[in-house]
Amino acid sequence: MVIETLAKRFPQLYLKPEPGVSQSELYRAIVRKGNRYEGSLSHFAGSPKDSLTREQTPAGEVAVVFLAARADFECFYRIMACRCEPVEVPPTMGACYISGIHDWSRIHAHMAAYRASGGDDPSGEFARFTAIPSNYKETFLLLSDGPYSAVPAERTHYDSETWLRLSREIRKYHELTHFVCRKLFPEKKNPIWDELLADCMGLLFATGEYSVPLAQAFLGIENGVYIGGRLENYTGGAPDCETVRRVTAVMDRLVHHCGAERAAGNEGYALLEALERRAEEICPELADLFA
């Protein structure tokens, strides 16, 4: 069981999200002091479909956690991202990445090895080891199941089973795109472009092609008209016709630039970085939307 494996490294997963847990002595002892703890995981259902993998990116390594049960996805998010408090999780949230989580098991293992080797300055070694965040901090990419962006298989040319499988891949690489861009290009912030690029890379990684009709469906655009979907999350309300026109123009230009970059030998994360560097050239229509 994926949760059981993770709980051995992150004992806070044994704690059921409830009001005030983040202020409890037990929670603080586990998270801040690295105290070992073991309890019940009955607040997780678990599924044979759950998985735990690792993804190498140009911005660092990420642990990818896929939890098939929606309730498990929400519970994990509350524990690891919200300090075990029972916050509301928007039904539209299907993935997220959680960074800066202390993995005390790495610290314990390092200190045990240090002592076994004859080290006689544990306080100093602890300070040296924890001075490097990558030594002990973990980043999770948390994924749920279901059709990507709530687009049913009937609106794609895939059967239901294939679409669910591809949705997981699109969702994973969408979030990994955000992770890489925020790490490598922190100065570039345009919510609509960020989503267009992330959807583009998700499709490319999962299917091998950037389908404009699918990309439009993900945002709630059909035949050049906004019919309701994710786009309004980034425009502060239902977008007007002009905004929709600009977004679709950028999508069309993305097709051209993807083709040109791939012809030049850029694929995967190299393609992502190339497109991000050319963002101003690809999406001039979006520049004044978030000035």
Side-chain angles (χ1 to χ4, degrees), residues 46-58:
S47 168
K49 295 181 181 180
D50 293 348
S51 65
L52 172 62
T53 57
R54 301 197 73 83
E55 183 79 15
Q56 293 287 347
T57 81

Side-chain angles (χ1 to χ4, degrees), residues 7 14 40 57-58 74 77-78 89 96 99 114 140 151 168-170 179 186-188 197 218 241 244 257 262 283:
Y14 288 114
S40 171
T57 81
E74 294 184 359
Y77 175 77
R78 290 177 177 122
V89 182
C96 67
S99 60
Y114 174 76
F140 290 109
V151 173
R168 289 193 286 271
E169 290 297 294
I170 296 170
F179 173 75
E187 75 286 356
K188 294 188 176 183
L197 180 59
F218 295 161
C241 294
V244 171
H257 281 273
R262 298 177 84 182
C283 61

Side-chain angles (χ1 to χ4, degrees), residues 56-74:
Q56 293 287 347
T57 81
E61 189 177 65
V62 182
V64 181
V65 180
F66 169 71
L67 299 177
R70 176 67 190 185
D72 285 353
F73 170 85
E74 294 184 359

